[in-house]
Amino acid sequence: DTAALQAAVTAMGTTGTNGITGNNGYLPPGEYVISSTINFARFGGMLTGAGVGSSPAGLPCAGNATVIRWNGAAGVPMFKVTDSGHCYFSHLRFEGKDSAQPSYAVEFVAAGTDDSGVNHHAATFDHCYFGQWTYSSQGINKGLLQNGIGFTGTNTNNDLFRISNCMFSSCSTFGIY
């Protein structure tokens, strides 16, 4: 689902303030398997799912959640948010892969040199789940991530974040880095 999800994220953009684009997107219940990083560049918008429980593919306990599941190489992020502002992620579950753990479920990279979009202005995570899940389509207690959410980059203007009602389960390094 990598190409379709990247196309949806790209299509959500409309030109906004200081070149930051964005709109609102909804991912219905399901398991979205990605094999490379989904890029949010100069983005300011909302990505909302249906919930954080088991996906419709989760056995033996199928559910109605929105799950982003990793099936790519180890050491790269699932979502990469670069030079963005006002990003809102809610009601999503990020599930890694034990044998090829992504570096982050969501990595914020502040690489800009000006103040026109360097990962600030109220980025929010609300009702999200990061890491292993009891009943995954990968098996029981699978889905390791190295880190849940990361703040990296050469510009230290990664600030004004709100993380509420989120769970971090068995991230092998940190829940938040």
Side-chain angles (χ1 to χ4, degrees):
D1 301 311
T2 306
L5 190 52
Q6 183 63 65
V9 167
T10 302
M12 287 192 305
T14 56
T15 301
T17 307
N18 293 327
I20 295 176
T21 62
N23 211 324
N24 300 330
Y26 173 72
L27 289 175
E31 186 169 287
Y32 300 86
V33 180
I34 60 174
S35 57
S36 62
T37 302
I38 304 299
N39 290 292
F40 294 77
R42 300 195 60 75
F43 182 82
M46 178 185 298
L47 185 61
T48 302
V52 299
S54 291
S55 77
L59 297 174
C61 296
N64 292 311
T66 301
V67 178
I68 310 296
R69 184 167 66 80
W70 185 248
N71 195 29
V76 295
M78 295 173 70
F79 284 9
K80 183 176 181 180
V81 183
T82 307
D83 295 334
S84 299
H86 296 286
C87 297
Y88 182 85
F89 298 94
S90 71
H91 298 88
L92 299 167
R93 183 162 64 83
F94 295 89
E95 181 179 294
K97 183 176 182 180
D98 290 5
S99 62
Q101 295 173 30
S103 55
Y104 302 93
V106 182
E107 179 183 19
F108 286 87
V109 180
T113 57
D114 59 15
D115 196 33
S116 62
V118 287
N119 291 336
H120 57 82
H121 305 304
T124 300
F125 286 90
D126 188 31
H127 290 90
C128 291
Y129 189 97
F130 301 87
Q132 284 186 334
W133 187 255
T134 305
Y135 299 111
S136 163
S137 64
Q138 299 183 74
I140 296 175
N141 295 320
K142 301 289 183 182
L144 283 175
L145 303 163
Q146 289 178 16
N147 301 283
I149 303 170
F151 305 100
T152 67
T154 56
N155 182 328
T156 58
N157 197 2
N158 269 314
D159 58 8
L160 299 177
F161 289 89
R162 179 173 185 245
I163 300 170
S164 64
N165 301 308
C166 292
M167 293 288 297
F168 298 87
S169 176
S170 300
C171 296
S172 63
T173 308
F174 297 108
I176 301 171
Y177 174 83

